[in-house]
Amino acid sequence: MLLSSLVEPLKALLQLCISTIHWIVAGVFAKVCFWDGGAKRGTNSWAVSRKPSQKRDQTAPIPKSVNYHFTRKCNYKCGFCFHTAKTSFVLPFEEAKRGLKLLKEDGMEKINFSGGEPFLHEKGEFLGKMVQYCKVDLQLPSVSIVSNGSMIKEKWFQKYGDYLDILAISCDSFDEETNQLIGRTQGRKSHLDSLYKIRSWCQQYKVAFKINSVINTFNIDEDMTEQIRQLDPVRWKVFQCLLIDGENAGETALREAEKFVISDQQFQEFLCRHSDVSCLVPESNEKLYFASCLFMNVFICETARNALNPGEPKNTFLCFL
Ligand SMILES: C[S@@+](CC[C@H](N)C(=O)[O-])C[C@H]1O[C@@H](n2cnc3c(N)ncnc32)[C@H](O)[C@@H]1O
Ligand code: SF4
């Protein structure tokens, strides 16, 4: 019984490890091809698309599901955050579009835009244009966003709602004071007001509504059953607070999230308390940890055989989950 309950998680972990190794190997291979191809180094121009002679490495896994963290800037200060504002660099729109097109050519079916706070850059216009491009031009079956919700206006739904399939709003507590303590807020503005407002806009503009929660020392004893039932998301993703060296732990990190970390047993207890909530989907740390990361501008360069502009920060990364 114990053995059989371990088999599935171990299989999933093994698959994720293999997938990660594949990407590392594929990345190295792409670089070798790139150099062998005699690409011009130091050029500023970006290829519009993969050249016909450039065949995709057939052994590389297909990036079906992509997370694009195009900005690191945020208006919130969640103390546990693992994607911190280490640079303010955002890849220009045309380049981002090219990267997305190349990913589509490689088999991408699902795109999720995240950050930082994705609605912050150009007041959500940059995000809206990417969402529209992915739905209309690339015809992706699934286009989604993860946001803290604080910057979203109804006007955005009116303009771009038709192109968005899913909107996930992060909420770690239904107690405003706890949100303040976590840092999931801007000044004294109510995070919960934004959450409820967006829930009704999602209904009105026919966008599927999801909730993400990070379980940490500040909300570990909360029972969120009633509020989640009332909000009725299509999915409630529950994460165990994760430490990433250089992001929210270690000497070079901008955040120190150690005091937010909970044990595996505490996380299980939280899940048990909410076992009646059918939309709950636990996200294990292993899945997040073994997601493969690439930088969008490096990906474009490798695929299109251009060189990265000297000094250009490589902050916009992708995870294939
Ligand atoms: C980095 S945020 C970016 C999007 C947006 N700013 C937000 O908060 O939803 C993406 C997701 O990662 C989650 N997250 C941030 N730090 C985390 C951590 N240390 N462990 C687990 N999840 C985390 C957030 O709660 C959010 O759901
Ligand atoms: S809202 Fe919080 S979790 Fe999201 S990017 Fe900002 S600080 Fe990080």
Side-chain angles (χ1 to χ4, degrees):
M1 175 67 187
L2 183 66
L3 193 67
S4 64
S5 68
L6 280 174
V7 169
E8 279 311 308
L10 279 174
K11 248 171 69 184
L13 192 60
L14 192 65
Q15 271 170 353
L16 283 161
C17 291
I18 292 168
S19 156
T20 307
I21 292 163
H22 247 102
W23 267 106
I24 294 165
V25 174
V28 172
F29 185 69
K31 269 196 184 124
V32 172
C33 289
F34 172 76
W35 292 324
D36 275 350
K40 276 187 257 154
R41 310 210 80 191
T43 171
N44 283 329
S45 63
W46 298 77
V48 172
S49 183
R50 190 190 295 274
K51 292 166 192 157
S53 58
Q54 286 171 257
K55 291 235 170 70
R56 184 177 187 280
D57 170 12
Q58 295 303 317
T59 63
I62 295 168
K64 279 193 177 171
S65 184
V66 173
N67 256 317
Y68 185 16
H69 299 251
F70 64 91
T71 179
R72 279 178 169 266
K73 280 175 83 174
C74 188
N75 57 328
Y76 275 18
K77 292 188 177 65
C78 308
F80 52 66
C81 182
F82 59 27
H83 200 229
T84 53
K86 290 202 141 179
T87 129
S88 56
F89 177 74
V90 176
L91 200 65
F93 183 61
E94 287 306 314
E95 271 94 295
K97 260 170 61 178
R98 282 172 193 156
L100 292 165
K101 185 163 184 270
L102 290 167
L103 281 165
K104 162 79 197 240
E105 288 169 11
D106 269 6
M108 174 173 68
E109 290 171 7
K110 294 180 176 183
I111 180 83
N112 177 57
F113 294 101
S114 183
E117 175 45 44
F119 281 88
L120 200 57
H121 190 56
E122 295 175 3
K123 296 185 175 157
E125 278 303 299
F126 187 92
L127 174 66
K129 285 190 288 180
M130 281 200 294
V131 163
Q132 184 171 7
Y133 176 72
C134 286
K135 192 44 91 183
V136 177
D137 297 71
L138 301 183
Q139 305 255 305
L140 293 183
S142 174
V143 180
S144 63
I145 298 172
V146 181
S147 163
N148 66 32
S150 63
M151 310 286 294
I152 307 179
K153 303 266 185 293
E154 188 174 4
K155 262 203 269 181
W156 193 94
F157 276 92
Q158 288 163 348
K159 198 165 171 186
Y160 298 111
D162 278 353
Y163 315 117
L164 183 65
D165 297 300
I166 306 159
L167 178 59
I169 302 296
S170 298
C171 179
D172 316 308
S173 173
F174 289 93
D175 177 56
E176 290 287 15
E177 224 172 282
T178 308
N179 285 325
Q180 290 281 339
L181 286 172
I182 289 172
R184 194 171 282 291
T185 180
Q186 185 180 16
R188 302 302 301 175
K189 258 171 81 177
S190 162
H191 180 68
L192 297 176
D193 281 356
S194 306
L195 179 74
Y196 284 97
K197 215 162 46 184
I198 291 163
R199 204 282 163 259
S200 69
W201 287 335
C202 280
Q203 202 151 21
Q204 194 179 337
Y205 294 95
K206 299 189 172 51
V207 174
F209 173 73
K210 284 189 186 177
I211 298 177
N212 280 7
S213 301
V214 178
I215 309 312
N216 61 80
T217 46
F218 290 81
N219 62 6
I220 183 67
D221 294 322
E222 219 171 298
D223 187 338
M224 308 185 186
T225 308
E226 270 318 299
Q227 292 89 340
I228 295 291
R229 283 222 175 102
Q230 193 195 345
L231 283 157
D232 193 26
V234 290
R235 215 168 176 204
W236 178 31
K237 267 196 184 179
V238 175
F239 299 86
Q240 182 179 354
C241 183
L242 176 69
L243 291 182
I244 297 185
D245 197 49
E247 291 286 350
N248 59 3
E251 273 179 24
T252 56
L254 295 181
R255 293 251 199 287
E256 283 176 19
E258 280 87 353
K259 69 172 181 181
F260 289 88
V261 172
I262 54 163
S263 67
D264 291 350
Q265 194 188 332
Q266 284 177 300
F267 186 57
Q268 285 311 319
E269 280 164 15
F270 183 92
L271 296 179
C272 277
R273 196 180 312 134
H274 295 87
S275 57
D276 286 348
V277 184
S278 58
C279 60
L280 191 158
V281 181
E283 281 291 327
S284 73
N285 274 350
E286 280 79 14
K287 190 171 171 190
L288 281 177
Y289 217 83
F290 287 103
S292 305
C293 294
L294 277 180
F295 297 96
M296 180 64 114
N297 40 4
V298 175
F299 170 79
I300 299 172
C301 288
E302 286 181 347
T303 314
R305 299 188 188 182
N306 284 336
L308 193 66
N309 292 334
E312 185 174 313
K314 296 181 275 185
N315 76 324
T316 44
F317 70 86
L318 310 160
C319 302
F320 306 99
L321 295 174

